[in-house]
């Protein structure tokens, strides 16, 4: 651990592990307030692409979280020869993956609309600052003590500029949620987050991902084809308005895919999953 980090914070137990390190509970030695510290082990960053992401994470996280209460906040960052350390809000609630996996309580449209509405508010705020999350998935949507969502983990975030003029490249994200333009190796923009959020919404309402496969390669191929369907056995109770929004978010044609702001204006979101007409 960084000497300065240890001087400022008392480090406690591990609360989570990731691909490049671990997350610890910590407390400020001045205020006593409790936080989380994400420690990234530089020796695990063998790919230059991963190393570049890690070196930019603190900067992009600060940009994305500024004035964005639905994103986990970053309070300090430290770096030493061995690691990069980020001091973050401590989120002790369950994540959305846990909520979806709880089969005893299926997710209703009003609850799903509330979560997706908040998630898209968080994503839209990131996009307005030129930051693309690039790994939107249920595990990165955490509920706080008040039951509101917090978007976490900006370790894969990319920068497109506040005018959206700078494209990105690189296969970043998680197979079930990654957008087809990412899989195809094309330059892409902020709408990859909308696709991913659409997949999250599809899973919340249907209980299964829209694109399947036994391996990552098979999933990527299904994503590339982008053949969106609504099997009647799982979607027979889902409203036409919800399906309409899903078609506009999980849309292979990027020019026709909704932006985050357009999602927020959709009748299903505005009515919080209630009965509502759909505008063409």
């Amino acid at each position: 651990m960084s000497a300065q980090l240890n001087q400022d914070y008392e480090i406690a137990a591990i609360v989570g592990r990731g691909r490049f390190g671990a997350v610890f509970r910590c407390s400020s030695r001045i205020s006593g307030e409790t936080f989380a510290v994400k420690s990234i082990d530089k020796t695990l960053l063998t790919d230059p692409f991963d190393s570049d992401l890690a070196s930019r994470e603190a900067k992009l996280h600060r940009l994305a979280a500024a004035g964005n209460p639905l994103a986990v906040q970053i309070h300090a960052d430290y770096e030493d020869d061995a690691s990069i350390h980020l001091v973050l809000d401590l989120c002790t609630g369950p994540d959305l993956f846990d909520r979806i996996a709880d089969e005893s309580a299926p997710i209703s449209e009003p609850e799903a609309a509330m979560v997706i509405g908040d998630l898209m508010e968080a994503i839209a705020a990131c996009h307005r600052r030129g930051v693309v999350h690039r790994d939107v998935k249920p595990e990165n949507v955490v509920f706080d003590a008040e039951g509101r969502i917090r978007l976490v983990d900006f370790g894969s975030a990319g920068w497109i500029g506040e005018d959206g003029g700078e494209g990105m490249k690189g296969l970043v994200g998680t197979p079930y949620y990654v957008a087809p333009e990412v899989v195809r190796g094309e330059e892409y923009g902020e709408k990859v987050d909308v696709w991913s959020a659409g997949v999250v919404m599809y899973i919340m309402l249907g209980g299964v991902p829209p694109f399947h496969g036994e391996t990552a390669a098979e999933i990527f191929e299904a994503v590339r084809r982008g053949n969106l369907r609504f099997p009647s056995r799982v979607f027979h109770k889902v409203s036409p308005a919800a399906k309409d929004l899903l078609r506009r978010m999980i849309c292979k044609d990027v020019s026709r895919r909704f932006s985050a702001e357009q999602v927020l204006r959709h009748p299903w979101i505005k009515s919080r999953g209630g009965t509502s007409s759909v505008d063409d």
Side-chain angles (χ1 to χ4, degrees):
M1 286 288 181
S2 158
Q4 186 61 53
L5 173 65
N6 277 306
Q7 184 176 321
D8 295 341
Y9 295 89
E10 182 176 353
I11 311 302
I14 290 179
V15 294
R17 292 188 181 276
R19 193 158 56 110
F20 298 119
V23 179
F24 301 83
R25 183 186 294 264
C26 69
S27 57
S28 168
R29 294 188 186 275
I30 296 174
S31 69
E33 192 174 357
T34 304
F35 299 96
V37 58
K38 177 181 179 180
S39 293
I40 302 164
D41 185 343
K42 290 182 180 179
T43 64
L44 300 177
L45 302 172
T46 55
D47 187 316
F49 184 73
D50 291 330
S51 181
D52 183 54
L53 287 177
S55 67
R56 296 190 303 165
E57 182 176 354
K59 178 182 177 181
L60 293 181
H61 193 147
R62 287 185 190 281
L63 277 173
N68 185 357
L70 295 175
V72 69
Q73 300 296 304
I74 179 169
H75 299 276
D77 62 281
Y78 304 84
E79 184 169 359
D80 53 41
D81 291 340
S83 303
I84 297 169
H85 309 281
L86 310 178
V87 179
L88 310 165
D89 288 341
L90 177 65
C91 295
T92 57
D95 61 36
L96 183 55
F97 182 86
D98 295 329
R99 175 67 186 86
I100 293 170
D102 183 5
E103 296 180 2
S104 65
I107 297 175
S108 67
E109 284 197 40
E111 183 182 351
M114 185 71 70
V115 170
I116 295 300
D118 284 351
L119 176 58
M120 295 312 302
E121 288 277 8
I123 290 171
C126 294
H127 292 177
R128 287 193 290 271
R129 293 170 176 82
V131 178
V132 182
H133 188 279
R134 294 203 291 186
D135 197 19
V136 174
K137 59 184 178 180
E139 294 91 331
N140 286 336
V141 180
V142 177
F143 293 95
D144 64 18
E146 284 74 45
R148 294 204 73 185
I149 70 102
R150 304 288 293 279
L151 181 61
V152 305
D153 195 352
F154 287 81
S156 298
W159 169 253
I160 55 168
E162 292 188 9
D163 61 356
E166 297 184 35
M168 298 171 294
K169 294 202 77 171
L171 183 55
V172 179
T174 302
Y176 284 117
Y177 305 93
V178 71
E181 60 268 29
V182 178
V183 177
R184 291 194 297 262
E186 301 169 358
E187 187 173 87
Y188 54 86
E190 75 283 356
K191 287 185 178 181
V192 297
D193 285 347
V194 177
W195 173 284
S196 300
V199 174
V200 172
M201 176 178 160
Y202 186 104
I203 294 172
M204 290 181 75
L205 295 176
V208 294
F211 310 109
H212 306 266
E214 294 298 320
T215 65
E218 290 179 3
I219 297 167
F220 284 143
E221 181 55 36
V223 168
R224 188 183 288 111
R225 289 194 300 268
N227 187 11
L228 183 66
R229 292 182 173 139
F230 300 105
S232 59
R233 61 186 173 81
V234 291
F235 276 90
H236 64 283
K237 292 184 178 180
V238 176
S239 70
K243 292 175 185 175
D244 178 78
L245 179 56
L246 285 168
R247 290 188 188 96
R248 295 171 189 269
M249 296 174 73
I250 311 175
C251 178
K252 190 164 61 170
D253 183 345
V254 181
S255 68
R256 293 176 56 242
R257 188 184 309 158
F258 267 13
S259 67
E261 299 285 359
Q262 286 176 304
V263 173
L264 291 170
R265 295 195 296 268
H266 190 274
W268 188 77
I269 295 292
K270 293 178 74 174
S271 69
R272 286 303 197 221
T275 55
S276 176
S277 61
V278 176
D279 297 325
D280 292 330

